[in-house]
Amino acid sequence: MLVAVEGLDGSGKRTLTAAVVERLRADGLRVATLAFPRYGESVHADLAAEALHGRHGDLAGSVHAMAVLFALDRAGARDRLAELAATYDVVLLDRYVASNAAYSAARLHQDGAGEVVGWVAELEFGRLQLPRPDVHLLLAVPVELAGERARGRERREARTLDAYERDTGLQARTDAVYRNLAARNWYGTWWTAGPGDDPAALAARLGGVASRTIDRG
Ligand SMILES: Nc1ncnc2c1ncn2[C@@H]1O[C@H](COP(=O)(O)OP(=O)(O)OP(=O)(O)O)[C@@H](O)[C@H]1O
Ligand SMILES: Cc1cn([C@H]2C[C@H](O)[C@@H](COP(=O)(O)O)O2)c(=O)[nH]c1=O
């Protein structure tokens, strides 16, 4: 079962994923994770990160060029995704195709039904043949809280905020697009979790779906 964990920068995706993984494993499920962008593994991911930190001329200025870099990073992981899906009961992805849809639409001031969202789906699920998630788990925390967490992490981990993280207007619009995609169940089932939700309860819910998938064989 493929689960895409989505949300704003600093929303807590990595933290939540780690807690859910621990719980699912304690329940005896085989669980793997993969985070996108694959920094340090994919030249496309590294170019995107460098562009968001001011390098490579006007690259970051192009919404579509940035989205293509993120998509090509994922295309480079297609075989790995297939292998993980065949080997593990649950594969948790920290960001996936919906990140490209949400951020690109927000940059272009479009909503979840906008042209660029369709373009991302056609590129990634269509042309690049990436698998569709069984569940999207949207970690919907208030924009201000996500921003505070991102800034806190910047101080603690000496990690400089990138152009998207510094842009509070973009974060607010991305939040709205994510909620819109979730409401429309864009390319699969969406679940929405809040900042107070217990990772153990989410893990139990995911474990239930995974068990039914395993039973069906
Ligand atoms: N439930 C929580 N309570 C308090 N702090 C949290 C919680 N979840 C995450 N944090 C803190 O917020 C910061 C961001 O969390 P995390 O790295 O998990 O977010 P993320 O969504 O994966 O971020 P990004 O997409 O920007 O990489 C971290 O410093 C983390 O320790
Ligand atoms: C995977 C992916 C990411 N983005 C955006 C989201 C973030 O603001 C940055 C970098 O990601 P990180 O999780 O903070 O390291 O890029 C995107 O627009 N499209 C994508 O596919």
Side-chain angles (χ1 to χ4, degrees), residues 6-10 13 35-39 48-49 52 63 66-67 69-71 73-74 94-104 107 120 124 153 159 162-165 170-171 174 178:
E6 293 286 351
L8 295 179
D9 296 292
K13 297 178 298 300
F36 292 105
R38 293 176 305 144
Y39 300 124
L52 289 180
V63 175
M66 289 301 292
L69 286 177
F70 290 123
D73 169 28
R74 276 184 286 279
D94 181 344
R95 292 202 182 282
Y96 195 52
V97 177
S99 285
N100 235 1
Y103 281 83
S104 300
R107 289 191 68 187
V120 165
E124 302 211 39
R153 185 185 50 193
R159 172 179 151 163
D162 68 29
Y164 290 178
E165 289 166 332
L170 174 68
Q171 296 293 326
T174 304
Y178 265 135

Short mmCIF file of all heavy atoms in Angstrom, two decimals, residues 6-10 13 35-39 48-49 52 63 66-67 69-71 73-74 94-104 107 120 124 153 159 162-165 170-171 174 178, ligand 2:
data_model
loop_
_atom_site.label_atom_id
_atom_site.label_comp_id
_atom_site.label_asym_id
_atom_site.label_seq_id
_atom_site.Cartn_x
_atom_site.Cartn_y
_atom_site.Cartn_z
N GLU A 6 1.52 14.42 2.90
CA GLU A 6 1.62 15.74 2.28
C GLU A 6 1.38 16.85 3.31
O GLU A 6 0.74 16.61 4.34
CB GLU A 6 0.59 15.88 1.15
CG GLU A 6 0.84 14.98 -0.05
CD GLU A 6 2.02 15.46 -0.91
OE1 GLU A 6 2.53 16.57 -0.66
OE2 GLU A 6 2.44 14.72 -1.81
N GLY A 7 1.87 18.04 3.01
CA GLY A 7 1.64 19.17 3.89
C GLY A 7 2.66 20.27 3.65
O GLY A 7 3.63 20.08 2.91
N LEU A 8 2.43 21.38 4.32
CA LEU A 8 3.30 22.55 4.15
C LEU A 8 4.70 22.28 4.68
O LEU A 8 4.92 21.38 5.49
CB LEU A 8 2.73 23.74 4.92
CG LEU A 8 1.39 24.27 4.45
CD1 LEU A 8 0.97 25.44 5.34
CD2 LEU A 8 1.46 24.70 2.99
N ASP A 9 5.63 23.12 4.28
CA ASP A 9 6.98 23.11 4.85
C ASP A 9 6.85 23.32 6.36
O ASP A 9 6.18 24.26 6.80
CB ASP A 9 7.81 24.24 4.24
CG ASP A 9 8.02 24.04 2.75
OD1 ASP A 9 8.72 23.10 2.39
OD2 ASP A 9 7.46 24.83 1.96
N GLY A 10 7.48 22.46 7.13
CA GLY A 10 7.46 22.61 8.58
C GLY A 10 6.20 22.08 9.24
O GLY A 10 6.04 22.20 10.45
N LYS A 13 5.66 16.62 8.68
CA LYS A 13 5.52 15.35 7.92
C LYS A 13 6.56 14.32 8.33
O LYS A 13 6.24 13.16 8.56
CB LYS A 13 5.65 15.62 6.41
CG LYS A 13 4.57 16.51 5.84
CD LYS A 13 4.77 16.77 4.36
CE LYS A 13 6.06 17.49 4.05
NZ LYS A 13 6.20 18.82 4.66
N ALA A 35 11.62 9.65 0.95
CA ALA A 35 11.30 11.08 0.99
C ALA A 35 11.68 11.73 -0.34
O ALA A 35 12.75 11.47 -0.88
CB ALA A 35 12.03 11.75 2.14
N PHE A 36 10.77 12.58 -0.82
CA PHE A 36 11.05 13.41 -1.99
C PHE A 36 11.07 14.86 -1.56
O PHE A 36 10.26 15.23 -0.70
CB PHE A 36 9.97 13.20 -3.06
CG PHE A 36 9.99 11.83 -3.68
CD1 PHE A 36 9.02 10.90 -3.33
CD2 PHE A 36 10.97 11.49 -4.59
CE1 PHE A 36 9.04 9.63 -3.91
CE2 PHE A 36 10.99 10.22 -5.17
CZ PHE A 36 10.03 9.29 -4.83
N PRO A 37 11.93 15.68 -2.16
CA PRO A 37 12.97 15.40 -3.15
C PRO A 37 14.07 14.51 -2.55
O PRO A 37 14.34 14.58 -1.35
CB PRO A 37 13.52 16.78 -3.49
CG PRO A 37 12.51 17.77 -2.98
CD PRO A 37 11.84 17.12 -1.84
N ARG A 38 14.72 13.71 -3.42
CA ARG A 38 15.77 12.80 -2.94
C ARG A 38 17.12 13.52 -2.98
O ARG A 38 17.96 13.26 -3.83
CB ARG A 38 15.80 11.55 -3.81
CG ARG A 38 14.55 10.68 -3.67
CD ARG A 38 14.60 9.51 -4.63
NE ARG A 38 14.81 9.95 -5.99
CZ ARG A 38 15.55 9.31 -6.91
NH1 ARG A 38 16.14 8.18 -6.61
NH2 ARG A 38 15.68 9.80 -8.13
N TYR A 39 17.29 14.44 -2.03
CA TYR A 39 18.53 15.23 -1.98
C TYR A 39 19.75 14.31 -1.83
O TYR A 39 19.71 13.34 -1.07
CB TYR A 39 18.51 16.20 -0.79
CG TYR A 39 17.36 17.18 -0.83
CD1 TYR A 39 16.47 17.28 0.23
CD2 TYR A 39 17.16 17.99 -1.93
CE1 TYR A 39 15.42 18.17 0.21
CE2 TYR A 39 16.10 18.90 -1.97
CZ TYR A 39 15.24 18.98 -0.90
OH TYR A 39 14.19 19.87 -0.94
N ALA A 48 17.02 21.48 -7.99
CA ALA A 48 15.83 22.20 -7.51
C ALA A 48 16.15 22.91 -6.19
O ALA A 48 15.81 24.08 -6.00
CB ALA A 48 14.67 21.23 -7.34
N ALA A 49 16.82 22.20 -5.27
CA ALA A 49 17.15 22.80 -3.97
C ALA A 49 18.09 23.99 -4.16
O ALA A 49 17.91 25.04 -3.53
CB ALA A 49 17.79 21.76 -3.06
N LEU A 52 16.21 26.94 -5.39
CA LEU A 52 15.41 27.59 -4.33
C LEU A 52 16.29 28.33 -3.32
O LEU A 52 15.78 29.05 -2.47
CB LEU A 52 14.53 26.54 -3.61
CG LEU A 52 13.36 26.01 -4.44
CD1 LEU A 52 12.55 24.99 -3.64
CD2 LEU A 52 12.45 27.16 -4.89
N VAL A 63 7.78 28.22 -12.83
CA VAL A 63 6.98 27.24 -12.10
C VAL A 63 7.08 25.88 -12.79
O VAL A 63 7.28 24.83 -12.14
CB VAL A 63 5.50 27.71 -12.06
CG1 VAL A 63 4.62 26.65 -11.42
CG2 VAL A 63 5.38 29.04 -11.34
N MET A 66 10.62 24.17 -12.44
CA MET A 66 10.81 23.59 -11.10
C MET A 66 9.99 22.30 -10.96
O MET A 66 10.49 21.29 -10.43
CB MET A 66 10.40 24.59 -10.02
CG MET A 66 11.34 25.77 -9.87
SD MET A 66 13.03 25.29 -9.45
CE MET A 66 12.78 24.67 -7.79
N ALA A 67 8.78 22.34 -11.46
CA ALA A 67 7.92 21.14 -11.35
C ALA A 67 8.50 19.98 -12.16
O ALA A 67 8.43 18.82 -11.73
CB ALA A 67 6.50 21.47 -11.81
N LEU A 69 11.70 19.43 -12.68
CA LEU A 69 12.82 18.87 -11.90
C LEU A 69 12.31 17.92 -10.82
O LEU A 69 12.82 16.81 -10.65
CB LEU A 69 13.64 20.00 -11.25
CG LEU A 69 14.53 20.81 -12.18
CD1 LEU A 69 15.20 21.94 -11.40
CD2 LEU A 69 15.59 19.94 -12.84
N PHE A 70 11.29 18.35 -10.08
CA PHE A 70 10.75 17.49 -9.02
C PHE A 70 10.17 16.20 -9.62
O PHE A 70 10.30 15.11 -9.05
CB PHE A 70 9.68 18.23 -8.22
CG PHE A 70 10.21 19.35 -7.35
CD1 PHE A 70 9.74 20.65 -7.48
CD2 PHE A 70 11.18 19.10 -6.38
CE1 PHE A 70 10.21 21.68 -6.68
CE2 PHE A 70 11.66 20.12 -5.56
CZ PHE A 70 11.18 21.42 -5.72
N ALA A 71 9.51 16.34 -10.77
CA ALA A 71 8.90 15.16 -11.41
C ALA A 71 9.99 14.19 -11.89
O ALA A 71 9.86 12.97 -11.75
CB ALA A 71 8.03 15.61 -12.59
N ASP A 73 12.95 13.83 -10.66
CA ASP A 73 13.49 13.17 -9.46
C ASP A 73 12.65 11.92 -9.17
O ASP A 73 13.17 10.82 -8.98
CB ASP A 73 13.46 14.16 -8.29
CG ASP A 73 13.72 13.49 -6.94
OD1 ASP A 73 14.43 12.47 -6.90
OD2 ASP A 73 13.22 14.02 -5.92
N ARG A 74 11.32 12.08 -9.18
CA ARG A 74 10.45 10.93 -8.89
C ARG A 74 10.55 9.87 -9.98
O ARG A 74 10.56 8.67 -9.70
CB ARG A 74 8.99 11.37 -8.70
CG ARG A 74 8.71 11.86 -7.30
CD ARG A 74 7.26 12.20 -7.09
NE ARG A 74 6.87 13.44 -7.74
CZ ARG A 74 7.08 14.64 -7.23
NH1 ARG A 74 7.68 14.78 -6.07
NH2 ARG A 74 6.68 15.72 -7.87
N ASP A 94 7.25 10.64 2.00
CA ASP A 94 7.24 11.99 2.57
C ASP A 94 7.32 12.96 1.39
O ASP A 94 8.40 13.20 0.86
CB ASP A 94 8.45 12.13 3.51
CG ASP A 94 8.51 13.50 4.18
OD1 ASP A 94 7.83 14.44 3.73
OD2 ASP A 94 9.28 13.64 5.15
N ARG A 95 6.19 13.47 0.98
CA ARG A 95 5.94 14.24 -0.24
C ARG A 95 5.92 13.32 -1.45
O ARG A 95 6.68 12.37 -1.56
CB ARG A 95 6.98 15.35 -0.50
CG ARG A 95 6.94 16.50 0.49
CD ARG A 95 7.58 17.75 -0.13
NE ARG A 95 7.63 18.87 0.77
CZ ARG A 95 6.59 19.65 1.05
NH1 ARG A 95 5.43 19.40 0.49
NH2 ARG A 95 6.70 20.67 1.89
N TYR A 96 5.02 13.69 -2.39
CA TYR A 96 4.91 12.93 -3.64
C TYR A 96 4.32 13.88 -4.70
O TYR A 96 4.49 15.10 -4.60
CB TYR A 96 4.06 11.67 -3.38
CG TYR A 96 4.14 10.61 -4.45
CD1 TYR A 96 5.35 10.11 -4.92
CD2 TYR A 96 2.97 10.09 -5.03
CE1 TYR A 96 5.41 9.13 -5.89
CE2 TYR A 96 3.02 9.09 -6.00
CZ TYR A 96 4.24 8.63 -6.43
OH TYR A 96 4.30 7.65 -7.41
N VAL A 97 3.61 13.32 -5.66
CA VAL A 97 3.13 14.11 -6.80
C VAL A 97 2.25 15.29 -6.37
O VAL A 97 2.31 16.38 -6.96
CB VAL A 97 2.37 13.19 -7.78
CG1 VAL A 97 1.80 13.98 -8.94
CG2 VAL A 97 3.29 12.06 -8.28
N ALA A 98 1.45 15.10 -5.33
CA ALA A 98 0.54 16.18 -4.90
C ALA A 98 1.31 17.41 -4.43
O ALA A 98 0.79 18.53 -4.49
CB ALA A 98 -0.39 15.69 -3.80
N SER A 99 2.56 17.24 -3.95
CA SER A 99 3.36 18.42 -3.60
C SER A 99 3.56 19.29 -4.83
O SER A 99 3.47 20.52 -4.77
CB SER A 99 4.74 18.02 -3.06
OG SER A 99 4.66 17.52 -1.75
N ASN A 100 3.86 18.63 -5.95
CA ASN A 100 4.07 19.40 -7.18
C ASN A 100 2.79 20.11 -7.60
O ASN A 100 2.82 21.27 -8.03
CB ASN A 100 4.53 18.45 -8.29
CG ASN A 100 5.83 18.89 -8.92
OD1 ASN A 100 6.42 19.89 -8.53
ND2 ASN A 100 6.28 18.15 -9.91
N ALA A 101 1.67 19.41 -7.47
CA ALA A 101 0.39 20.00 -7.84
C ALA A 101 0.08 21.21 -6.95
O ALA A 101 -0.27 22.29 -7.43
CB ALA A 101 -0.72 18.95 -7.73
N ALA A 102 0.23 21.02 -5.63
CA ALA A 102 -0.17 22.08 -4.69
C ALA A 102 0.73 23.32 -4.80
O ALA A 102 0.23 24.45 -4.88
CB ALA A 102 -0.15 21.54 -3.26
N TYR A 103 2.03 23.11 -4.80
CA TYR A 103 2.94 24.27 -4.85
C TYR A 103 2.87 24.99 -6.20
O TYR A 103 2.92 26.22 -6.26
CB TYR A 103 4.38 23.86 -4.52
CG TYR A 103 4.61 23.69 -3.03
CD1 TYR A 103 4.27 22.51 -2.39
CD2 TYR A 103 5.13 24.72 -2.26
CE1 TYR A 103 4.45 22.36 -1.01
CE2 TYR A 103 5.32 24.58 -0.89
CZ TYR A 103 4.97 23.39 -0.27
OH TYR A 103 5.15 23.26 1.09
N SER A 104 2.75 24.20 -7.29
CA SER A 104 2.70 24.84 -8.62
C SER A 104 1.42 25.66 -8.75
O SER A 104 1.44 26.80 -9.23
CB SER A 104 2.76 23.78 -9.72
OG SER A 104 3.95 23.04 -9.63
N ARG A 107 1.72 28.79 -6.68
CA ARG A 107 2.60 29.80 -7.30
C ARG A 107 1.86 30.54 -8.40
O ARG A 107 2.08 31.73 -8.63
CB ARG A 107 3.85 29.12 -7.87
CG ARG A 107 4.81 28.63 -6.79
CD ARG A 107 6.13 28.22 -7.39
NE ARG A 107 6.87 29.36 -7.91
CZ ARG A 107 8.00 29.26 -8.61
NH1 ARG A 107 8.52 28.08 -8.88
NH2 ARG A 107 8.62 30.34 -9.04
N VAL A 120 0.35 18.57 -14.06
CA VAL A 120 1.21 17.74 -13.19
C VAL A 120 0.75 16.29 -13.24
O VAL A 120 1.56 15.36 -13.37
CB VAL A 120 1.21 18.28 -11.73
CG1 VAL A 120 1.79 17.25 -10.76
CG2 VAL A 120 1.98 19.59 -11.64
N GLU A 124 3.09 13.29 -14.50
CA GLU A 124 3.66 12.32 -13.56
C GLU A 124 2.92 10.97 -13.56
O GLU A 124 3.56 9.93 -13.61
CB GLU A 124 3.70 12.93 -12.15
CG GLU A 124 4.53 14.23 -12.12
CD GLU A 124 5.21 14.45 -10.79
OE1 GLU A 124 5.70 13.50 -10.19
OE2 GLU A 124 5.22 15.62 -10.35
N ARG A 153 13.25 25.05 13.32
CA ARG A 153 14.20 24.04 12.80
C ARG A 153 15.39 24.73 12.14
O ARG A 153 16.52 24.28 12.27
CB ARG A 153 13.47 23.16 11.78
CG ARG A 153 14.28 22.01 11.26
CD ARG A 153 13.54 21.27 10.19
NE ARG A 153 13.03 22.20 9.19
CZ ARG A 153 12.15 21.88 8.26
NH1 ARG A 153 11.66 20.69 8.22
NH2 ARG A 153 11.74 22.78 7.39
N ARG A 159 19.70 25.22 9.19
CA ARG A 159 19.18 24.93 7.84
C ARG A 159 18.52 26.20 7.32
O ARG A 159 17.52 26.64 7.88
CB ARG A 159 18.20 23.75 7.96
CG ARG A 159 17.44 23.45 6.71
CD ARG A 159 16.52 22.25 6.92
NE ARG A 159 15.37 22.40 6.04
CZ ARG A 159 14.55 21.41 5.74
NH1 ARG A 159 14.72 20.22 6.24
NH2 ARG A 159 13.53 21.60 4.94
N ASP A 162 14.39 28.10 2.35
CA ASP A 162 14.48 28.33 0.91
C ASP A 162 13.40 29.34 0.48
O ASP A 162 12.61 29.82 1.29
CB ASP A 162 14.43 27.01 0.11
CG ASP A 162 13.08 26.32 0.20
OD1 ASP A 162 12.05 27.00 0.36
OD2 ASP A 162 13.05 25.07 0.09
N ALA A 163 13.39 29.64 -0.83
CA ALA A 163 12.50 30.69 -1.33
C ALA A 163 11.03 30.38 -1.07
O ALA A 163 10.25 31.28 -0.76
CB ALA A 163 12.73 30.87 -2.83
N TYR A 164 10.62 29.10 -1.16
CA TYR A 164 9.22 28.76 -0.89
C TYR A 164 8.92 28.92 0.60
O TYR A 164 7.85 29.39 0.99
CB TYR A 164 8.92 27.32 -1.30
CG TYR A 164 8.91 27.01 -2.78
CD1 TYR A 164 8.69 25.72 -3.25
CD2 TYR A 164 9.09 28.01 -3.74
CE1 TYR A 164 8.67 25.41 -4.61
CE2 TYR A 164 9.08 27.71 -5.10
CZ TYR A 164 8.87 26.41 -5.53
OH TYR A 164 8.85 26.10 -6.86
N GLU A 165 9.86 28.49 1.45
CA GLU A 165 9.63 28.55 2.90
C GLU A 165 9.55 30.00 3.40
O GLU A 165 8.84 30.29 4.36
CB GLU A 165 10.73 27.80 3.64
CG GLU A 165 10.64 26.29 3.45
CD GLU A 165 11.89 25.55 3.87
OE1 GLU A 165 13.00 26.12 3.83
OE2 GLU A 165 11.78 24.36 4.23
N LEU A 170 2.81 32.35 -0.29
CA LEU A 170 2.82 31.08 -1.03
C LEU A 170 2.38 29.93 -0.12
O LEU A 170 1.59 29.06 -0.51
CB LEU A 170 4.22 30.79 -1.60
CG LEU A 170 4.36 29.42 -2.27
CD1 LEU A 170 3.54 29.35 -3.56
CD2 LEU A 170 5.83 29.10 -2.57
N GLN A 171 2.88 29.93 1.13
CA GLN A 171 2.51 28.85 2.06
C GLN A 171 0.99 28.86 2.31
O GLN A 171 0.35 27.81 2.33
CB GLN A 171 3.27 28.99 3.38
CG GLN A 171 4.79 28.83 3.26
CD GLN A 171 5.24 27.42 2.87
OE1 GLN A 171 4.61 26.44 3.27
NE2 GLN A 171 6.29 27.31 2.09
N THR A 174 -0.72 27.55 -0.75
CA THR A 174 -0.48 26.11 -0.88
C THR A 174 -1.40 25.34 0.06
O THR A 174 -1.96 24.29 -0.29
CB THR A 174 1.00 25.78 -0.59
OG1 THR A 174 1.82 26.56 -1.46
CG2 THR A 174 1.30 24.31 -0.81
N TYR A 178 -3.98 22.47 -1.08
CA TYR A 178 -3.96 21.12 -0.48
C TYR A 178 -5.36 20.75 0.03
O TYR A 178 -5.83 19.63 -0.19
CB TYR A 178 -2.99 21.08 0.70
CG TYR A 178 -1.59 20.59 0.39
CD1 TYR A 178 -0.48 21.26 0.89
CD2 TYR A 178 -1.36 19.43 -0.37
CE1 TYR A 178 0.81 20.81 0.64
CE2 TYR A 178 -0.08 18.97 -0.61
CZ TYR A 178 1.01 19.67 -0.11
OH TYR A 178 2.28 19.21 -0.35
C1 LIG B 2 8.69 17.12 -3.72
C2 LIG B 2 8.27 18.50 -4.13
C3 LIG B 2 8.56 19.58 -3.35
N1 LIG B 2 8.14 20.82 -3.73
C4 LIG B 2 8.48 21.96 -2.88
C5 LIG B 2 8.04 21.84 -1.45
C6 LIG B 2 9.11 22.51 -0.65
O1 LIG B 2 8.78 23.89 -0.48
C7 LIG B 2 10.34 22.43 -1.54
C8 LIG B 2 11.39 21.49 -1.08
O2 LIG B 2 10.85 20.36 -0.43
P1 LIG B 2 11.23 20.03 1.13
O3 LIG B 2 10.25 18.99 1.54
O4 LIG B 2 11.09 21.32 1.90
O5 LIG B 2 12.64 19.55 1.14
O6 LIG B 2 9.88 22.04 -2.82
C9 LIG B 2 7.46 21.00 -4.91
O7 LIG B 2 7.11 22.13 -5.28
N2 LIG B 2 7.20 19.92 -5.69
C10 LIG B 2 7.55 18.67 -5.34
O8 LIG B 2 7.26 17.70 -6.08
#
